[in-house]
Amino acid sequence: MTQPPHGNLPPRGPVQPPPVPGPPPAAPWPPGQHHHYPAPPPRRSPGAIIGICLGAVAVLVLGLVAIVALNKNDTPVASTGYQNTPSPSAPSELPPAGASSPQSATATAPPSMSSSAPSNEGPQKILKLADHPILLDKNAGLQNRVCDLPPWQSTQSGAEAFFTAASNCLNAAWGPFLQAYHLPFTPPSLHFPTGASFETECGTIQVGIATAAYYCENNLYVPFRGLQTDQYGNNPGVYLALFAHEYGHHVQEVAGLMDAAWQKIYEAGQNSPAGLEMSRRKELQAQCFSGMFLGAHVDQGGTVTRDMYNKAWNDQETRGDNTSHSRDHGTNAHYAAWWRAGATNNRITDCNTFAAPASEVS
């Protein structure tokens, strides 16, 4: 079994979150829709302007006559149904998606004619794969940070305490990284199912050796029954690595990589050769993200020790399609190789599985 590189600590000083870029790229338009700008209002000729002025004088005179007539018969004027209308040259604007419509001050108040700046819709996912912005900066990695975890206890309550603390460390590591790219980071919701199965937006999940942890739609599930504590015992490095793998799927979700990958899978067919290859690329990237996390936190003064790192390193060879007899996660050798690539150098460009040749994601 390949041994980890003892004494080769992840890079320190140069490994920082990427610099905050400029304005966020515009969100891609849905297929079949095109971005277009409204044409400016037509310019009026001098003759037309003179005509408008003469018309305004006539309207003013008629209005004075009507006011005199109304004052003569003392009839109270209630809601007449008239209101000022916007000029034809003023384009109407809808509130941004998700915003409530502004309430009118009065029934007859004219709408605001002042031009408003475009609304900032906030961070948006970027639906790209190999050319995704987070995968292109060769100097980008996770900050070396201290992560303090409680001692591992092979009990339901002990596991909950351990993974809750691990989730906080993962949030602190990946949150600033993703926000630096103006991506909409929110921590995943953490769940600890206790039954033989549990419900998710992805369906009913049966707890077994393949479900030590499970991610679905911004929710991370850790059923204690699936952790195989009878086999792994007091081995927190293994549990931390598999948890960081599932959290890696949340990184993909927030960034837009997950949606972009599933679009390709659905287009090709989930069980087609191309669909299975895309699934492997997605899973192997989560492996690399898991390695990045442990590599950035080992030997930093917290509780992620070199022993935990070494055991996680060696454990990766026991996982993958050779063990599960499937074709959607990658061979055991590739499962280990991508985790180690992230752990060794802590560079996110090393996790660009979507740009790798097919021979490295088989």
Side-chain angles (χ1 to χ4, degrees):
M1 188 173 291
T2 306
Q3 296 299 313
H6 294 279
N8 183 19
L9 298 182
R12 284 184 169 79
V15 182
Q16 300 295 329
V20 178
W29 288 83
Q33 295 188 18
H34 303 280
H35 192 185
H36 64 278
Y37 295 94
R43 298 181 63 182
R44 301 186 188 277
S45 65
I49 293 174
I50 294 172
I52 290 172
C53 293
L54 292 175
V57 172
V59 170
L60 180 60
V61 172
L62 292 175
L64 292 172
V65 172
I67 291 171
V68 172
L70 287 171
N71 287 335
K72 281 185 177 181
N73 55 22
D74 295 329
T75 303
V77 179
S79 176
T80 61
Y82 292 101
Q83 65 182 29
N84 294 325
T85 56
S87 165
S89 63
S92 60
E93 295 184 3
L94 295 176
S100 59
S101 301
Q103 295 181 351
S104 301
T106 64
T108 60
S112 172
M113 301 299 294
S114 61
S115 58
S116 59
S119 61
N120 180 12
E121 295 184 356
Q124 300 291 317
K125 290 182 180 181
I126 301 174
L127 272 61
K128 292 185 177 183
L129 293 172
D131 59 342
H132 197 287
I134 71 169
L135 300 176
L136 301 181
D137 187 349
K138 294 182 179 180
N139 294 318
L142 296 179
Q143 284 185 306
N144 298 117
R145 299 177 61 93
V146 172
C147 177
D148 286 318
L149 305 172
W152 176 260
Q153 295 181 5
S154 293
T155 63
Q156 177 74 36
S157 60
E160 290 186 16
F162 180 87
F163 291 120
T164 299
S167 182
N168 292 334
C169 291
L170 283 153
N171 293 337
W174 285 109
F177 183 92
L178 294 165
Q179 289 168 337
Y181 288 97
H182 209 67
L183 293 166
F185 176 78
T186 53
S189 298
L190 199 55
H191 307 274
F192 300 101
T194 58
S197 64
F198 55 94
E199 298 297 326
T200 76
E201 291 188 32
C202 302
T204 301
I205 308 302
Q206 302 296 324
V207 176
I209 61 174
T211 51
Y214 188 83
Y215 179 82
C216 173
E217 297 291 338
N218 300 306
N219 290 276
L220 213 168
Y221 302 86
V222 189
F224 179 72
R225 292 187 181 188
L227 291 175
Q228 296 178 271
T229 55
D230 55 340
Q231 176 179 342
Y232 293 104
N234 184 15
N235 202 339
V238 171
Y239 305 130
L240 181 61
L242 69 87
F243 183 75
H245 170 104
E246 295 304 326
Y247 194 102
H249 287 314
H250 184 64
V251 174
Q252 293 173 321
E253 176 68 37
V254 170
L257 290 158
M258 180 76 79
D259 291 348
W262 273 109
Q263 284 182 359
K264 296 292 185 182
I265 293 171
Y266 286 138
E267 289 171 3
Q270 194 166 349
N271 294 315
S272 68
L276 289 169
E277 180 178 306
M278 182 55 62
S279 178
R280 292 194 296 273
R281 292 181 186 274
K282 172 174 61 69
E283 292 295 334
L284 291 170
Q285 183 174 73
Q287 272 292 91
C288 192
F289 288 170
S290 171
M292 280 182 65
F293 173 76
L294 267 79
H297 291 76
V298 64
D299 294 337
Q300 297 301 311
T303 56
V304 181
T305 64
R306 175 62 55 167
D307 181 66
M308 289 172 61
Y309 175 85
N310 289 352
K311 288 179 178 176
W313 177 288
N314 290 328
D315 179 69
Q316 303 313 310
E317 290 183 357
T318 70
R319 302 176 187 273
D321 290 343
N322 300 108
T323 300
S324 63
H325 305 292
S326 60
R327 293 288 296 126
D328 57 354
H329 277 61
T331 64
N332 288 28
H334 286 152
Y335 217 62
W338 283 101
W339 191 93
R340 292 167 182 172
T344 301
N345 296 321
N346 186 16
R347 292 293 187 273
I348 200 162
T349 52
D350 293 341
C351 296
N352 197 345
T353 56
F354 300 108
S359 60
E360 294 181 7
V361 293
S362 63

